[in-house]
Amino acid sequence: MDIVTTPIAPDDNPEIADAAPTPHEPPVILREDYRAFPWLVPTTSLDFRLGLEHTRVTATLQIARNPAAERSGELRLNGDSLTAESVMVDGAPAQWRMDGADLVLHLPGDAHTVVIVTTIDPTANTQLMGLYASNGMLCTQCESEGFRRITFFPDRPDVLSTYAVRMEGERAAFPILLCNGNRTDAGENADGTHWAEWHDPWPKPSYLFALVAGDLVANSKPFVTVSGRVVECNVWVRAEDLARTDHALESLHRSMQWDEQVFGREYDLDLYNIVAVSDFNMGAMENKGLNVFNTKYVLADPDTATDADFDAVEGVIAHEYFHNWSGNRVTCRDWFQLSWKEGFTVLRDQLFSQDMRGAAVKRIEDVRILRAAQFPEDAGPLAHPIRPDSYREISNFYTATVYNKGAEVIRMMRSMVGEARFRAGTDLYFDRHDGEAATCEDFVKAIEDGAGIDLTRFRRWYAQAGTPRVTVRQAVEGDRLRLTLRQTVPATPGQPDKLPMPIPLRIAVHARGGALGAEQLVVLEQEEQSFDLPLAGADPVVSINRGYTAPVVIERALAREDLVFLAAHDDDPFARSEALQELAVGHLVGTARRTLSSEEQAAGEAAIIGAFRASLADNALEDAMRGELMVLPSETYLFEAMASGEGKADPGAIHAAREGLKAAIGAGLASELQALHARASGVSLDDPAGRGARKVKTIALGLLAAADPARAAELAAQQYDAADNMTDRQGALMVLCGLDHPAREDRLAAFYARYKDNALVVDKWFTLQALSLHPDVIAHVRKLAEHPDFTLRNPNRVRSLHMAFAGNPTGFHAASGEGYRMVADVILALDPINPQTAARFVPALGRWRRIEPVRAALMKAELERILAAGNLSRDTFEQVSRSLEG
């Protein structure tokens, strides 16, 4: 599953509470309490009589005792908001009881047939988990615990079953009936209904079940696998969206071919369906043979989608397809193992995107996302290892730590052993565990055995939270450089003391005179180690963590001129970009802390402007890479840098410092930036260089806006009016949204009028205003929340306005605390409707301990107000309580 991003038995369930909870506290689930389920469910048959307001589900479970589990006379079937109309065992009415939301049967024999009938109302399902209605169609989302909202079942990932499904409904309402696997039969009834039968031959857990029924059309194109199997590939959408599905379908084909070539994984069914749904909590879901996607990650054409949107569609399509092996054929034993399937699959989709779009820029983008989303998580009250030890609500662990850091941890293994040995390890893993529910340890053991490496200490990455910090010291000794590295892993909630972890680092020692040193990989295993490296000449300059081989913070006192040298000359693109980031972070944090003298301030600005000028003038650079060298560190990343150690972040000072530097760059390079904007504006939409040109054009416009708002508003209005694609149009409008200029309202109105019938583009319209630097952004967001097109019932719309605002450092961190109050109000209003989405707002408030005292008190007060409201969902209660305790 891709993120953008529900009673527990004491005997038979792996999820065992450590103590009886208070009435308002959900139980804590512990990884160490895992027990295999006492019953197997070899086959499951489901019969659906479909209706938007009334769907009848008959579930027939063939069950048998699990010889690998402790014997139990009880069969506990999980439920959530369900009532059983009838329960039969071996053809006779059964004696059963309810224990909370679970249905419990006493079964004396070794094998039984259990038949349960339930009725559900999909239109009432605002949580969008289980079976729910979306704009007249029916669809499902079952990961992680949604299947228990459809029927009573052992809803846990280690119970694997083969599914046969019959679906029946009115042809007029549901002309298309889709499910997992292959369709085996279909027919018509005399009363205007029709039916379809589906069979998935591959055993799967209940979280991978999927069903879709609605009025849909398909963009279809077969794919022939490496062994000659012809796979029917379909992208199903509403008729009006069909023209925007070509990119998704081509991305699927590229993913299928790439996985065969790079990981040796071939598709294993005759049919691969993707369905786009407008109401969806996540990005997409990898259900076997029937992927259900948020429309945001399927629909794209140049008029309605940016270049970044096209990349996101390709990446998410690939991610869900790659899950066919890393998640479906081999799945998770329990939810604590989520990072093996998600971390590994994120790495796979990153490597795929690198091959499709270029490794250097993609790597820089991925690290930027890691630092913006995961580093704050690792430094806050919600910090957790990539394999957590406990949870109250599993949906809260679909996090950047599990996904993005999980991918980085697996990438480190790949870096240490090399591509060929890593492939040997993954091949061994799939061979060993095909058709099983596996663990993170199973994955590490397969890499260890297949690649021939001892990963005993490396396993600490799975057990310890926190972002390691590596300090660097260097000394020249003859013709060698003695590099001394020391690692510390900060204390995190529940883990005050940490052990050193193996940290692979690619390093090169250059000479400031121009000679570039050879790259080599070192692994920092101990708390402190020294490495002797060859010199390339006099005045050595160390390029470290090249390609970002490890998810760590490098701490070193590197001279400004050395950073300028690396930014201009390093032969590793990531290291070159990183030098500019390091140069800017040091200057901006010093400015925000008011620790720089006026001379240091001027020298820092001059060095950064000089580095930018060099990038603008470097004709050897492609614009895509040039754009990366023009991006300043985000305010979120600066927040973390300022709050490191015993420091406290001051969002107001950070924003002022960053805007001041943007203005200095915009003024100091005005002619160069305007020339770049003019040159880039001349590149046509279909030119291969167009993506990079569109990127630098908007970045240049943003820098100019900080220095000369009036001139930038003119250029932005011209760019908007001339735009023949969404990237240019959105980029221009983004700049205008932050300016107090008549062109702002004119172009916002024009944008809405043009796209008011396109939900995804209207989402952009909300987001651009919610993220803007305009001084009245809070008032704008309050007004937008009253707009007729806004609703709390659609997750995309909620994210487009309120989640965007929670990520706006100026509006959210307004000194008055009004931004905090507004987000807290959204959490309280949204929690009864969609707890999963509501809980994702909490981490923004949870960073209160790392901020200056006045704002910290305001943030904490809002968390306390939420907690005091009572009747919170498990999702939100866990996030809020941990944010106050951590």
Side-chain angles (χ1 to χ4, degrees), residues 630-863:
M630 294 172 64
V631 175
L632 289 173
S634 70
E635 291 187 33
T636 300
Y637 187 51
L638 294 169
F639 183 108
E640 295 304 315
M642 192 175 184
S644 63
E646 299 300 317
K648 300 291 183 182
D650 184 336
I654 290 170
H655 178 70
R658 192 173 186 273
E659 288 302 301
L661 180 57
K662 284 170 59 180
I665 295 169
L669 298 174
S671 60
E672 292 96 327
L673 291 169
Q674 291 190 52
L676 175 63
H677 186 272
R679 173 183 64 78
S681 297
V683 180
S684 66
L685 177 63
D686 56 357
D687 190 313
R691 287 172 57 94
R694 290 187 289 274
K695 182 177 185 176
V696 297
K697 186 185 340 183
T698 294
I699 295 172
L701 201 57
L703 293 170
L704 289 167
D708 188 348
R711 175 59 180 149
E714 293 176 8
L715 290 173
Q718 292 169 11
Q719 178 175 314
Y720 182 93
D721 294 341
D724 61 355
N725 62 87
M726 180 55 74
T727 304
D728 282 348
R729 189 171 289 115
Q730 177 178 298
L733 195 57
M734 176 191 70
V735 173
L736 286 171
C737 276
L739 302 177
D740 191 7
H741 191 277
R744 178 186 189 275
E745 296 303 324
D746 290 345
R747 298 325 186 269
L748 278 170
F751 190 89
Y752 179 78
R754 177 177 181 135
Y755 295 111
K756 62 183 179 182
D757 296 324
N758 186 310
L760 291 178
V761 184
V762 172
D763 285 341
K764 294 177 182 295
W765 184 75
F766 279 102
T767 295
L768 287 166
Q769 296 174 79
L771 281 175
S772 84
L773 301 178
H774 197 284
D776 295 329
V777 64
I778 293 178
H780 293 161
V781 171
R782 289 198 181 280
K783 184 177 179 181
L784 287 167
E786 302 299 321
H787 193 279
D789 284 344
F790 184 76
T791 174
L792 286 176
R793 292 183 177 270
N794 178 269
N796 279 358
R797 192 53 47 87
V798 172
R799 287 187 286 260
S800 73
L801 181 64
H802 291 304
M803 191 66 78
F805 175 77
N808 182 331
T810 50
F812 179 68
H813 289 296
S816 65
E818 189 176 358
Y820 307 146
R821 283 196 300 279
M822 190 156 64
V823 168
D825 288 342
V826 169
I827 293 170
L828 289 169
L830 188 58
D831 191 52
I833 301 170
N834 190 326
Q836 191 175 125
T837 301
R840 293 191 176 274
F841 283 88
V842 176
L845 291 168
R847 301 168 71 194
W848 62 274
R849 281 186 176 82
R850 296 173 61 75
I851 206 167
E852 52 83 15
V854 175
R855 286 182 173 88
L858 294 169
M859 295 170 83
K860 183 183 179 185
E862 294 304 327
L863 288 169

Side-chain angles (χ1 to χ4, degrees), residues 97-114:
R97 62 184 174 86
M98 295 298 295
D99 183 4
D102 292 354
L103 187 150
V104 181
L105 291 161
H106 181 74
L107 300 177
D110 291 336
H112 300 276
T113 299
V114 178

